[in-house]
Amino acid sequence: MTPQIDELIEKIRGLEEELEVELRAKREQFQFIIEEKRVRFAEEVARQQRRLKTGLFRYLIESRPLNVLTAPIIYAGFVPFLLLDLFLSIYQAVCFPVYGIPKVKRSEYLLFDREDLPYLNIIEKINCFYCSYGNGLAAYFREIAARTEQYWCPIKHARRIRAAHGRYPRFFEYGDAESYCKGLERLRKELRKGDG
């Protein structure tokens, strides 16, 4: 990898850290703390948020009919999500130790804290659970796939891909056979150590 690419990757990481600091400051205005994986709001903030909660009956009456009709299709995705989740757990439990790849911590990707929001009714909380599960599972899957790709085929595509995973910039350029042959084991070692 060229020094310019390494420098750009470091700038991106720095900007991500800066963004996290700003987001943390923004979250502080909502006065919540996290205790043993549960989010707690200051009592006055929680009281104000509960006043904004849409009642269940009103929520159902005001829902668009097409939203209600498509809900079963959306929630049918829960079954494939569960099967994918099971497969990913088996996949990395069996394969990753063989190659020395550190396992992805599922709990870092699947977060369920929206049920602590006082302004959501039960249907909104179920919707948030579903979306948290689906998107968290997708991120978990992506990291497992990214580690697999780094081990087996860390080569960039000839064409630019959308939303490449975080490991992708360190991969070898398309057509750079020499770097691939010389650097493949290095990338694998970085992955095994948890650096890559």
Side-chain angles (χ1 to χ4, degrees):
M1 195 148 3
T2 67
Q4 294 87 353
I5 291 174
D6 286 337
E7 187 178 316
L8 286 171
I9 290 170
E10 283 306 310
K11 283 182 182 178
I12 290 169
R13 285 186 182 139
L15 287 171
E16 287 173 342
E17 288 173 18
E18 191 178 324
L19 176 62
E20 187 54 41
V21 167
E22 289 298 317
L23 291 172
R24 194 175 307 120
K26 180 74 174 159
R27 286 191 295 262
E28 286 175 7
Q29 83 182 45
F30 295 107
Q31 301 175 27
F32 66 81
I33 58 169
I34 301 173
E35 297 174 335
E36 299 178 23
K37 298 185 181 183
R38 295 300 308 247
V39 179
R40 301 282 181 236
F41 287 92
E43 189 52 44
E44 180 55 32
V45 172
R47 196 173 12 264
Q48 289 172 357
Q49 289 184 358
R50 278 191 291 274
R51 279 183 262 184
L52 296 172
K53 184 178 189 174
T54 303
L56 189 58
F57 183 71
R58 187 171 137 221
Y59 182 83
L60 291 171
I61 294 298
E62 292 178 356
S63 292
R64 293 177 48 220
L66 288 177
N67 289 4
V68 175
L69 290 173
T70 58
I73 297 168
I74 292 169
Y75 283 103
F78 197 66
V79 173
F81 289 174
L82 288 171
L83 292 172
L84 177 60
D85 198 356
L86 176 64
F87 170 77
L88 292 172
S89 297
I90 295 168
Y91 173 84
Q92 74 168 344
V94 172
C95 298
F96 278 19
V98 172
Y99 308 115
I101 300 172
K103 291 180 185 168
V104 178
K105 291 182 182 167
R106 185 178 179 276
S107 62
E108 292 178 0
Y109 293 87
L110 283 95
L111 303 176
F112 302 101
D113 55 6
R114 294 174 182 163
E115 73 270 3
D116 295 323
L117 293 169
Y119 55 89
L120 296 180
N121 64 42
I122 188 68
I123 292 176
E124 291 169 318
K125 287 181 181 187
I126 291 169
N127 290 343
C128 284
F129 176 86
Y130 181 82
C131 291
S132 293
Y133 185 58
N135 284 292
L137 185 63
Y140 175 60
F141 181 11
R142 182 179 184 145
E143 180 58 20
I144 291 170
R147 290 182 188 192
T148 302
E149 185 177 27
Q150 181 173 337
Y151 188 87
W152 287 107
C153 189
I155 300 169
K156 293 178 185 168
H157 292 277
R159 292 180 294 280
R160 186 172 183 265
I161 61 170
R162 283 184 170 259
H165 54 75
R167 297 172 179 282
Y168 190 78
R170 300 177 51 78
F171 288 5
F172 304 107
E173 293 301 323
Y174 185 87
D176 188 353
E178 187 175 332
S179 292
Y180 174 78
C181 292
K182 288 181 180 177
L184 179 60
E185 195 52 42
R186 176 186 48 81
L187 272 185
R188 286 179 174 176
K189 284 179 186 172
E190 288 174 8
L191 180 60
R192 287 185 194 115
K193 290 187 329 190
D195 297 340

